[in-house]
């Protein structure tokens, strides 16, 4: 049943910063400071910076010299002034209550000079790695230049660990590479879902498209006791079951996949729950009225926008009975108030539950953040794509390069 246990078992055997001596050492710390900003470049959500604090503080307390690096946005290998990391350095400095020098480059003589002047417990933030095309190309010379700045590489950028980029996998060819504390936390909580979940284990899946989640649904069906499906992807499953889903987006080339998953659930004794009622509207932009209908009565010109109240209640009861709940993907178009109900109910049910509750995926994490529920959940992953790849059972390249214990 646990097909990937041999491979995923490796994930838990990684060295962390606690397994190496960092004192007086230059540590290249890869973080994910790809934070949301507004038009004026003000950080609108600093959780990713906060999430790096345990590792940064640990390194400082252990007398390391901390050279932080990150990507930000998609500058496509060129210097883009609005994508410099100075605002993130300022935010980190405020949170640490100590100076953080923002360097104007990430490699080269000026950076080398600044690093050579660092003392123990100093922090610098290198400039956006993606100003160099070599970062995403995983260029070995570029990786070597980054590695040259340090004695040890620490990866705390779980959100980038599914990318084989120079600062994620390349540098590990030159330096001893270990996990930071955020990386450890992410791998522990997400890994436990696959390895050793307390039962009953329920997964709640939603989001825009079923095609984004094919691998996750397939893999998680081997592990869960119940799978609850909402969001846009529910239309695909309903259609595969023969229901008329009106004008909802259906990925017709994924109907066979949906049928296969329904059969798979059946043959493994997994309770697969689809909506019994839905909220529909002619358009998804919130400008037209919406109504609740049974899934047998979806009008031809209407689109499924959210799960209905009866479904939300059934999902809530199911979550209440579980010992482990994993949630990925909003139940509806939650960005629009009229379609946020199902997503809120699921988030609320998870927050009220005594179970181990784990949220993965960018939009889902955003929803629980907006609702102020993060502290009531066991773990909200900072890695959207990375958390999904891990749950697909894939080995993350950024994790694979870390030293084993
Ligand atoms: P996550 O980032 O949590 O993995 P996804 O990226 O898969 O989630 O999906 C998030 C998007 O799904 C949201 O923007 C939301 O508006 C959209 N969505 C949810 N339900 C529906 C629906 N019924 N129809 C269209 N889009 C939907
Ligand atoms: Mg998303």
């Amino acid at each position: 049943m646990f097909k990937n246990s041999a491979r995923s078992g490796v994930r838990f055997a990684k060295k962390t910063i606690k397994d190496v001596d960092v004192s007086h050492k230059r540590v290249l710390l890869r973080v994910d400071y790809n934070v949301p900003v507004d038009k004026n470049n003000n950080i609108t959500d600093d959780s990713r910076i906060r999430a790096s604090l345990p590792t940064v503080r640990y390194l400082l307390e252990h007398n390391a010299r901390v050279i932080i690096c990150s990507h930000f946005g998609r500058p496509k290998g060129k210097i883009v002034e609005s994508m410099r990391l100075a605002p993130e350095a300022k935010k980190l400095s405020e949170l640490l209550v100590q100076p953080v020098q923002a360097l104007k480059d990430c490699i080269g003589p000026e950076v080398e000079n600044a690093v050579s002047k660092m003392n123990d417990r100093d922090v610098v933030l290198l400039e956006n790695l993606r100003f160099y095309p070599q970062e995403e190309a995983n260029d070995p010379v570029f990786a070597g230049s980054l590695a040259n700045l340090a004695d040890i590489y620490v990866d705390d950028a779980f959100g980038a660990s599914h990318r084989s980029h120079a600062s994620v996998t390349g540098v590990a060819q030159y330096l001893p590479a270990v996990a930071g504390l955020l990386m450890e936390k992410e791998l522990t909580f997400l890994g436990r879902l696959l390895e050793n979940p307390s039962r009953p284990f329920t997964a709640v899946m939603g989001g825009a498209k079923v095609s984004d989640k094919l691998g996750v649904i397939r893999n998680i069906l081997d592990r869960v006791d119940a799978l609850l499906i909402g969001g846009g992807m529910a239309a695909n499953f309903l259609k595969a079951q023969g229901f008329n889903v009106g004008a909802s987006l259906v990925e017709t080339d994924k109907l066979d996949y949906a049928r296969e998953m329904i059969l798979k659930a059946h043959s493994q004794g997994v309770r697969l729950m689809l909506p019994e009622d839905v909220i529909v509207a002619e358009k998804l932009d919130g400008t037209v009225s919406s109504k609740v209908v049974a899934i047998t009565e979806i009008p031809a010109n209407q689109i499924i926008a959210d799960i209905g109240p009866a479904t939300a209640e059934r999902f809530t009861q199911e979550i209440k009975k579980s010992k482990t709940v994993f949630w990925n993907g909003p139940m509806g178009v939650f960005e629009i108030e009229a379609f946020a109900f199902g997503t809120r109910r699921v988030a609320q049910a998870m927050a009220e539950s005594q179970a181990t509750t784990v949220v993965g995926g960018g939009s889902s994490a955003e929803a629980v953040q907006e609702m102020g529920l993060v502290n009531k959940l066991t773990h909200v992953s900072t890695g959207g794509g990375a958390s999904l790849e891990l749950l697909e059972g894939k080995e993350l390249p950024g994790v694979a390069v870390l030293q084993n214990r």
Side-chain angles (χ1 to χ4, degrees):
M1 187 164 170
F2 298 103
K3 286 198 279 266
N4 296 304
S5 59
R7 212 202 309 155
S8 53
V10 175
R11 289 201 294 264
F12 298 98
K14 294 299 177 184
K15 280 191 187 169
T16 76
I17 44 175
K18 294 189 172 164
D19 297 309
V20 289
D21 178 14
V22 297
S23 66
H24 318 301
K25 301 270 171 58
R26 298 168 302 161
V27 175
L28 181 67
L29 171 62
R30 176 57 156 105
V31 297
D32 180 0
Y33 284 176
N34 192 23
V35 292
V37 293
D38 65 17
K39 277 180 238 128
N40 302 318
N41 237 359
N42 297 309
I43 298 169
T44 53
D45 177 0
D46 62 6
S47 356
R48 284 184 165 173
I49 300 177
R50 286 178 189 273
S52 75
L53 291 176
T55 297
V56 178
R57 287 197 179 118
Y58 178 94
L59 292 171
L60 295 175
E61 279 159 15
H62 290 79
N63 300 313
R65 304 168 185 203
V66 187
I67 305 156
I68 305 180
C69 63
S70 179
H71 71 286
F72 181 87
R74 297 181 186 277
K76 306 227 173 92
K78 292 193 298 277
I79 295 174
V80 177
E81 288 303 325
S82 63
M83 293 183 188
R84 289 195 178 276
L85 284 175
E88 287 66 34
K90 182 162 171 281
K91 175 54 81 176
L92 177 63
S93 167
E94 286 165 19
L95 294 169
L96 286 175
V97 200
Q98 83 159 65
V100 173
Q101 195 188 348
L103 301 184
K104 288 274 157 51
D105 206 338
C106 62
I107 55 166
E110 274 180 41
V111 175
E112 284 160 25
N113 187 37
V115 167
S116 73
K117 291 188 179 136
M118 285 174 78
N119 294 311
D120 293 351
R121 292 182 298 278
D122 278 352
V123 182
V124 302
L125 178 59
L126 304 183
E127 190 51 278
N128 191 347
L129 294 159
R130 289 194 187 165
F131 286 177
Y132 286 84
Q134 295 96 316
E135 160 65 356
E136 293 190 62
N138 196 6
D139 179 82
V141 178
F142 177 75
S145 306
L146 281 172
N148 258 333
L149 300 171
D151 308 301
I152 298 173
Y153 170 67
V154 174
D155 191 0
D156 222 13
F158 175 71
S161 62
H162 57 319
R163 307 275 185 232
S164 208
H165 294 169
S167 68
V168 178
T169 54
V171 287
Q173 308 307 312
Y174 303 94
L175 291 175
V178 301
L181 302 176
L182 173 63
M183 178 69 92
E184 182 187 29
K185 184 169 179 247
E186 292 273 9
L187 296 176
T188 302
F189 283 113
L190 293 168
R192 224 176 262 164
L193 295 175
L194 298 181
E195 304 274 312
N196 196 15
S198 303
R199 299 189 175 278
F201 174 18
T202 296
V204 188
M205 301 272 311
K209 297 200 307 265
V210 68
S211 55
D212 293 338
K213 311 283 168 77
L214 302 176
V216 180
I217 295 174
R218 191 187 292 282
N219 198 39
I220 211 126
L221 270 176
D222 288 336
R223 280 131 176 115
V224 293
D225 299 292
L227 173 62
L228 321 184
I229 291 186
M233 70 159 77
N236 252 78
F237 281 87
L238 290 169
K239 178 88 182 170
Q241 293 272 59
F243 291 99
N244 198 332
V245 294
S248 308
L249 172 80
V250 172
E251 296 172 275
T252 46
D253 60 334
K254 296 295 174 294
L255 288 173
D256 282 342
Y257 167 87
R259 284 184 202 110
E260 187 196 329
M261 291 306 112
I262 291 165
L263 286 177
K264 183 174 162 106
H266 201 74
S267 70
Q268 307 209 167
V270 175
R271 281 176 305 119
L272 181 78
M273 292 189 172
L274 298 176
E276 62 192 70
D277 60 345
V278 287
I279 291 175
V280 293
E282 226 171 286
K283 284 190 281 180
L284 293 181
D285 59 7
T287 59
V288 295
S289 66
S290 55
K291 60 179 178 185
V292 179
V293 295
I295 51 165
T296 48
E297 276 150 38
I298 301 173
N301 66 340
Q302 307 263 310
I303 306 169
I304 299 175
D306 197 3
I307 56 172
T311 304
E313 181 56 31
R314 205 156 50 97
F315 284 11
T316 299
Q317 294 310 323
E318 205 58 38
I319 290 167
K320 268 194 187 160
K321 283 193 290 189
S322 308
K323 291 251 165 59
T324 304
V325 187
F326 169 68
W327 176 34
N328 166 264
M331 295 291 97
V333 186
F334 76 108
E335 297 91 340
I336 295 184
E337 182 59 31
F339 311 136
F341 169 80
T343 300
R344 291 214 184 114
R345 280 296 297 273
V346 163
Q348 200 68 46
M350 286 185 75
E352 283 164 9
S353 141
Q354 300 301 308
T356 299
T357 47
V358 179
V359 177
S363 289
S364 324
E366 203 182 293
V368 295
Q369 235 139 40
E370 267 171 25
M371 292 176 68
L373 296 176
V374 174
N375 293 333
K376 300 206 161 104
L377 299 161
T378 311
H379 182 62
V380 179
S381 179
T382 55
S387 64
L388 294 184
E389 287 200 18
L390 191 147
L391 292 171
E392 278 176 33
K394 285 191 188 156
E395 186 173 52
L396 303 174
V399 177
V401 296
L402 303 178
Q403 289 187 342
N404 292 320
R405 263 202 181 117

